[in-house]
Amino acid sequence: MMNVLLLGSGGREHAIAYKISQSKQLTKLYVAPGNGGTSTIATNVAINLSDFEDISKFISINNIDMLIVGPEAPLADGIVDFLQAKDCHKYLKIIGPKKAGAKIESSKNFSKHFMIRHNIPTAKYQSFTQENIDEGYKFLESLKAPYVLKADGLAAGKGVLILDNIDEAKAELKEMLCNDKFGKSGTTVVIEEFLKGIELSVFIITDGKHYLILPEAKDYKRIGEHDTGLNTGGMGAVSPVPFANKEFMRKVENQIIIPTINGLTKDEIDYTGFIFFGLINCNGNPYVIEYNCRMGDPETESVFPRIENDILDIFNAAANKQLDTEKLVISDKTAATVMLTAQGYPDAYNKGMPISINTNYPLIFHAGTKINNDTLVSNGGRVIAATAFGNSVAEAFCNAYKIADEINFNGKYCRHDLGKDLIDM
Ligand code: AMP
Ligand code: GLY
């Protein structure tokens, strides 16, 4: 039996908490800081995720047996290294990589080097700093439009620019390198070849040696229908992805997953946790667009409900470096997630909107909510994710939209075309 602490406050964490709350091995689940949804299935704890000392104290006082880190920032800042350096946490099981492993997400320059070093298919690239900006201009001239510019560091999903025009690309490169457009994240910029294709997200949980492939998913990044308008954290997701057939997934495993695990071993990076492969399917061949050291959001809201195992069995095996003893059991149904967002998102939006939910349906995952004087109110741009099952992409989304209709708040917005791209393929 275990006490578990989960870090994070989004829809991803609510979906992970939902699975943990069903485990036969769970004594008590805490979520820090959590949200209005996690408070109904776990105990929310008001801890600042950058205060590692406070997290360490909470773990000791509450006899926490297992820590699961949801978002990337504490991993990139070394929370795992911090806790593992303390004797009092010798027996703490942790799902999440150390700082060296989190670099696959926290530095694009590192992750591109890693991919090239280990022969993992990815877009051709070079990286530049202020010192060699002129070479950056030359490299841009050697590429064809569109031009892809990426800030090296974490930039909350906003550090990637895709530009159609060479003069604009040069001007943006200068803005990033010389005028701090993305602050410190952009002191090194990766410029890469544009890859044309359809994206999908593949996830594994690994103990550094063994791995289990979780269900894959597709997310919908743009705010507007038919993939138009600004990028968001994700407006919906679906799992499985119809074009990720056996042959494609075999290529993903052989050309990407196995070389990544072997690469981590060769580089002596001890990695326990999730790896999120942001992939693009170019004419039937997978390429890595990016790595993340965590699960995706909103993909988790579609992926986790399909996992039928007791999730703490899987997490235990990963933490004990015995993932080869477990097998995933996955529902063959399709899960679809519709994200409801606040008016104005991803630009400025209001918080504190009262929310009414007229159903007891279980797969409603809160993304940005909190309880304020016994009232559920919005507390972020992405507010609530509604997930539903179906026998096809169309049926799953149709069911998810029905659930979404039962949730109301002022200015509620969602995309109504989710899944259509896959149905028409
Ligand atoms: P990233 O933060 O690296 O995942 O990039 C954000 C988004 O930019 C991706 O989800 C893709 O839609 C797009 N993108 C990034 N790199 C490329 C590339 N080399 N070719 C085409 N699209 C890209
Ligand atoms: N949905 C994409 C991400 O979590 O980064």
Side-chain angles (χ1 to χ4, degrees), residues 65-304:
D65 300 291
M66 178 179 281
L67 173 76
I68 297 137
V69 186
E72 65 279 12
L75 295 168
D77 291 341
I79 188 167
V80 179
D81 312 61
F82 179 87
L83 295 172
Q84 286 182 344
K86 288 182 181 257
D87 212 38
C88 59
H89 299 314
K90 206 159 63 185
Y91 299 109
L92 178 68
K93 296 173 182 181
I94 304 181
I95 302 298
K98 287 187 269 208
K99 194 171 184 162
K103 254 186 132 176
I104 60 168
E105 172 166 4
S106 66
S107 168
K108 297 235 184 250
N109 190 29
F110 172 85
S111 73
K112 292 296 286 191
H113 268 294
F114 179 90
M115 287 183 252
I116 302 295
R117 195 160 61 241
H118 301 296
N119 233 342
I120 295 163
T122 189
K124 276 195 241 121
Y125 86 107
Q126 282 186 30
S127 45
F128 302 92
T129 60
Q130 204 173 340
E131 278 70 55
N132 62 352
I133 189 165
D134 288 332
E135 289 169 38
Y137 293 147
K138 272 197 207 125
F139 185 59
L140 281 171
E141 281 163 10
S142 77
L143 297 172
K144 281 195 216 109
Y147 305 93
V148 183
L149 268 51
K150 300 186 175 186
D152 174 54
L154 293 177
K158 297 201 172 94
V160 176
L161 299 176
I162 299 183
L163 305 152
D164 287 324
N165 174 300
I166 181 97
D167 294 327
E168 227 181 322
K170 287 181 179 173
E172 289 291 357
L173 180 65
K174 190 169 176 198
E175 279 298 298
M176 287 163 92
L177 290 179
C178 306
N179 294 332
D180 283 348
K181 175 158 180 155
F182 295 111
K184 271 201 186 133
S185 301
T187 48
T188 298
V189 171
V190 167
I191 300 179
E192 64 181 46
E193 162 197 33
F194 181 84
L195 296 174
K196 199 167 158 43
I198 181 160
E199 288 177 58
L200 80 159
S201 309
V202 170
F203 306 95
I204 62 167
I205 181 164
T206 180
D207 57 21
K209 215 161 150 193
H210 319 100
Y211 60 87
L212 295 172
I213 304 179
L214 275 51
E216 79 286 351
K218 181 180 190 305
D219 85 339
Y220 292 84
K221 289 207 169 84
R222 302 293 194 95
I223 188 73
E225 294 184 0
H226 311 294
D227 295 326
T228 52
L230 293 175
N231 255 328
T232 70
M235 297 300 293
V238 64
S239 172
V241 179
F243 67 79
N245 56 25
K246 275 212 172 98
E247 192 197 341
F248 182 78
M249 289 307 288
R250 205 174 305 126
K251 287 184 189 169
V252 170
E253 184 164 14
N254 290 332
Q255 297 171 14
I256 292 169
I257 297 176
I258 293 174
T260 298
I261 298 291
N262 290 343
L264 289 169
T265 309
K266 276 187 207 145
D267 291 357
E268 296 180 2
I269 297 172
D270 172 31
Y271 197 110
T272 299
F274 298 104
I275 301 180
F276 165 166
F277 301 85
L279 304 182
I280 192 159
N281 174 352
C282 299
N283 301 319
N285 290 313
Y287 289 78
V288 179
I289 293 271
E290 64 165 351
Y291 285 121
N292 296 301
C293 60
R294 54 171 173 86
M295 284 298 295
D297 194 349
E299 290 98 324
T300 305
E301 292 94 302
S302 289
V303 167
F304 264 54

Side-chain angles (χ1 to χ4, degrees), residues 23-88:
S23 169
K24 291 199 175 71
Q25 299 179 55
L26 181 70
T27 308
K28 195 158 167 64
L29 173 61
Y30 299 91
V31 188
N35 62 34
T38 60
S39 72
T40 63
I41 52 171
T43 301
N44 282 357
V45 196
I47 306 184
N48 180 343
L49 294 194
S50 52
D51 190 341
F52 296 170
E53 198 57 68
D54 217 20
I55 294 171
S56 165
K57 273 189 208 142
F58 183 88
I59 290 170
S60 296
I61 292 168
N62 294 281
N63 297 316
I64 299 297
D65 300 291
M66 178 179 281
L67 173 76
I68 297 137
V69 186
E72 65 279 12
L75 295 168
D77 291 341
I79 188 167
V80 179
D81 312 61
F82 179 87
L83 295 172
Q84 286 182 344
K86 288 182 181 257
D87 212 38
C88 59

Side-chain angles (χ1 to χ4, degrees), residues 246-378:
K246 275 212 172 98
E247 192 197 341
F248 182 78
M249 289 307 288
R250 205 174 305 126
K251 287 184 189 169
V252 170
E253 184 164 14
N254 290 332
Q255 297 171 14
I256 292 169
I257 297 176
I258 293 174
T260 298
I261 298 291
N262 290 343
L264 289 169
T265 309
K266 276 187 207 145
D267 291 357
E268 296 180 2
I269 297 172
D270 172 31
Y271 197 110
T272 299
F274 298 104
I275 301 180
F276 165 166
F277 301 85
L279 304 182
I280 192 159
N281 174 352
C282 299
N283 301 319
N285 290 313
Y287 289 78
V288 179
I289 293 271
E290 64 165 351
Y291 285 121
N292 296 301
C293 60
R294 54 171 173 86
M295 284 298 295
D297 194 349
E299 290 98 324
T300 305
E301 292 94 302
S302 289
V303 167
F304 264 54
R306 290 187 63 216
I307 301 175
E308 294 181 345
N309 305 65
D310 183 322
I311 201 73
L312 288 186
D313 284 343
I314 305 295
F315 289 169
N316 256 320
N320 294 333
K321 306 245 175 239
Q322 291 174 341
L323 260 184
D324 53 329
T325 62
E326 292 292 330
K327 251 202 161 98
L328 284 175
V329 183
I330 303 299
S331 160
D332 56 15
K333 293 241 189 257
T334 296
T337 301
V338 175
M339 186 65 77
L340 303 176
T341 59
Q343 189 169 17
Y345 174 80
D347 284 325
Y349 56 84
N350 286 330
K351 292 182 182 177
M353 231 62 79
I355 303 165
S356 70
I357 302 180
N358 306 318
T359 167
N360 287 324
Y361 179 78
L363 303 181
I364 292 175
F365 300 119
H366 295 218
T369 74
K370 66 175 182 180
I371 311 272
N372 206 355
N373 297 328
D374 289 335
T375 307
L376 181 68
V377 298
S378 68

